[in-house]
């Protein structure tokens, strides 16, 4: 056996939906959780002497730090993380091309996202099919998991502006069933592409 050099790329979704947090823990948003997890990856890679980089996707804007190593490189990645704010939607296939070009064969890729953008899922499936090792942490809110609402609610998609009015108490059982089914379907879909997928809930 021998150690082989590893290049780990963090692909971080900073779209508008990543700003969502729970009432029980204000300020701890999906994006804050993703930043913390990315920082852990950078620290581990730095300690192991591996190369690591960051691609943050915020609407049509990409912030890219190519793979490097060492403490100064880690600090540069952390500085970019600290300045990230959520906004916009995931870019289309053409907008994703720079991401594709910067992740090389046999690289390790970790997507930190709520996994609600089809374009993001299609991208990591393409990366996995092209011999990249792809991991995915799906960041969910407690409210998505438990649906604790009991009153009339208007739910708004912050990226598209679409709104749904509902009687939350009456809709709860159907929602929980549909959400669980969607989570199972996503896990199976990514597993079939060879992508390791785990959910992380904000609590």
């Amino acid at each position: 056996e021998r150690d082989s050099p590893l290049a780990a790329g963090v692909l971080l979704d900073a779209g508008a939906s990543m700003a969502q947090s729970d009432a029980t823990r204000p300020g701890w948003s999906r994006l804050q959780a993703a930043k913390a997890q990315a920082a852990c990856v950078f620290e581990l890679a730095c300690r192991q002497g591996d190369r690591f980089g960051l691609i943050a996707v915020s609407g049509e804007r990409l912030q890219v730090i190519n793979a490097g190593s060492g403490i100064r490189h880690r600090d540069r990645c952390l500085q970019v993380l600290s300045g990230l704010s959520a906004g916009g939607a995931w870019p289309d296939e053409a907008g994703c091309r720079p991401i594709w070009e910067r992740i090389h064969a046999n690289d390790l890729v970790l997507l930190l996202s709520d996994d609600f953008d089809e374009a993001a899922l299609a991208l990591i499936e393409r990366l996995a099919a092209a011999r990249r090792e792809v991991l995915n942490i799906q960041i969910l809110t407690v409210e998505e998991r438990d649906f604790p609402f009991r009153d009339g609610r208007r739910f708004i998609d912050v990226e598209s502006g679409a709104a749904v009015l509902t009687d939350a108490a009456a809709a709860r059982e159907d929602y929980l069933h549909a959400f669980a089914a969607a989570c199972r379907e996503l896990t199976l879909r990514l597993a079939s592409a060879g992508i390791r997928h785990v959910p992380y809930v904000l609590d």
Side-chain angles (χ1 to χ4, degrees):
E1 294 183 2
R2 66 179 178 86
D3 289 334
S4 58
L6 173 71
V10 173
L11 180 56
L12 194 151
D13 179 358
S17 63
M18 293 292 284
Q20 185 174 351
S21 60
D22 290 306
T24 55
R25 194 176 179 186
W28 183 243
S29 66
R30 295 186 214 267
L31 184 59
Q32 290 304 116
K35 287 181 179 184
Q37 292 167 13
C40 290
V41 171
F42 300 150
E43 183 64 27
L44 287 169
C46 187
R47 291 184 184 189
Q48 293 176 177
D50 293 324
R51 298 170 66 244
F52 54 94
L54 170 67
I55 302 176
V57 184
S58 179
E60 297 300 317
R61 182 177 178 221
L62 300 179
Q63 290 184 262
V64 179
I65 299 180
N66 292 323
S69 59
I71 292 173
R72 291 182 65 184
H73 184 70
R74 178 205 63 192
D75 291 347
R76 184 178 171 217
C77 290
L78 294 177
Q79 185 175 18
V80 171
L81 276 184
S82 69
L84 279 178
S85 58
W90 193 273
D92 59 16
E93 184 175 345
C96 288
R97 192 167 296 122
I99 302 173
W100 175 265
E101 292 168 351
R102 283 171 169 79
I103 300 174
H104 306 293
N106 301 315
D107 282 0
L108 176 96
V109 184
L110 170 64
L111 172 65
L112 298 168
S113 173
D114 55 21
D115 289 356
F116 293 149
D117 289 291
E118 175 58 32
L121 298 176
L123 173 66
I124 61 172
E125 286 174 326
R126 284 184 62 207
L127 288 168
R131 293 189 301 115
R132 279 72 169 169
E133 183 180 356
V134 183
L135 314 174
N136 170 230
I137 298 177
Q138 181 185 24
I139 303 174
L140 300 171
T141 67
V142 175
E143 291 169 348
E144 286 167 335
R145 181 192 64 195
D146 299 341
F147 204 75
F149 312 110
R150 293 289 184 268
D151 50 6
R153 289 271 167 162
R154 179 192 303 270
F155 296 97
I156 301 171
D157 183 332
V158 293
E159 294 182 3
S160 70
V164 175
L165 284 169
T166 186
D167 177 346
R172 184 171 189 270
E173 186 175 344
D174 287 343
Y175 167 84
L176 291 174
H177 177 77
F179 185 72
C183 290
R184 287 193 300 271
E185 182 180 337
L186 176 63
T187 299
L188 291 172
R189 171 184 174 179
L190 295 180
S192 69
I195 298 169
R196 293 177 59 191
H197 162 84
V198 293
Y200 168 90
V201 185
L202 293 184
D203 64 350

